[in-house]
Amino acid sequence: MPIWNQLRQATKGMQDQLLAKKNELQSGSFRDASMAMCALVAAADGSVDQAERQKVSGLITSNAALSNFPPDTLSSRFDDNCNKLAADYQLGKVELIQLVGKTKKKPAEARAVIQIGIIIGGADGNFDDQEKAVVREACHAVGIDPSEFEL
């Protein structure tokens, strides 16, 4: 099976898992960590251009697993996180990884944040090494073994 089909099937499975847990994923910490994860994946190469921001923002606001939150709130938090990364990538990255790490005490939320990062990373059909590396860092921040997600 071509790698693209494998990635598409894996992200569909993760999306289905997120939808099944949607009612458990309503906290502000989950929302904030998810938007931090999305920004980290979008900026995995060190920058986020406007077209990429718009694409990821569209994915965020149309994701059924995140529909517990107002789309404008999600977009605003995502944009704020992207701005932090654009201002000082290394400092912003540390801050956003810490935000993701706040879900560590709630394993279902932590796992969902990682899954969202993988879904966003694979949305273009290419979950590249830089995106995988940032998701691996997030796994460590929440105490999940990256190998669980084949990272």
Side-chain angles (χ1 to χ4, degrees):
M1 175 184 300
I3 191 76
W4 164 239
N5 287 338
Q6 290 174 355
L7 180 60
R8 187 172 46 209
Q9 285 181 336
T11 57
K12 169 131 179 41
M14 286 181 195
Q15 183 65 31
D16 292 344
Q17 289 173 15
L18 289 173
L19 283 173
K21 295 178 186 172
K22 180 181 164 190
N23 292 333
E24 299 173 43
L25 305 173
Q26 297 186 36
S27 75
S29 63
F30 169 71
R31 176 201 59 216
D32 295 347
S34 295
M35 293 307 96
M37 185 80 257
C38 290
L40 287 164
V41 170
D45 64 356
S47 67
V48 185
D49 63 33
Q50 192 58 36
E52 189 171 16
R53 268 193 200 207
Q54 288 175 340
K55 180 181 175 189
V56 173
S57 187
L59 291 169
I60 290 166
T61 58
S62 66
N63 189 308
L66 295 170
S67 65
N68 288 326
F69 308 105
D72 57 330
T73 300
L74 296 175
S75 290
S76 174
R77 290 181 188 272
F78 171 70
D79 282 336
D80 289 348
N81 291 333
C82 287
N83 290 339
K84 288 176 186 176
L85 292 167
D88 184 331
Y89 181 77
Q90 291 303 321
L91 184 62
K93 183 177 176 185
V94 168
E95 184 179 335
L96 297 182
I97 289 286
Q98 288 175 343
L99 196 56
V100 169
K102 289 183 178 183
T103 64
K104 185 175 185 174
K105 293 179 183 175
K106 295 183 178 178
E109 287 186 6
R111 186 164 274 97
V113 168
I114 300 303
Q115 289 173 317
I116 286 171
I118 294 168
I119 290 166
I120 294 298
D124 62 359
N126 181 29
F127 189 37
D128 67 39
D129 290 340
Q130 293 168 315
E131 292 166 337
K132 288 177 184 176
V134 79
V135 175
R136 263 193 305 276
E137 284 184 63
C139 283
H140 293 298
V142 296
I144 294 174
D145 184 344
S147 66
E148 182 178 329
F149 295 101
E150 298 179 17
L151 298 172

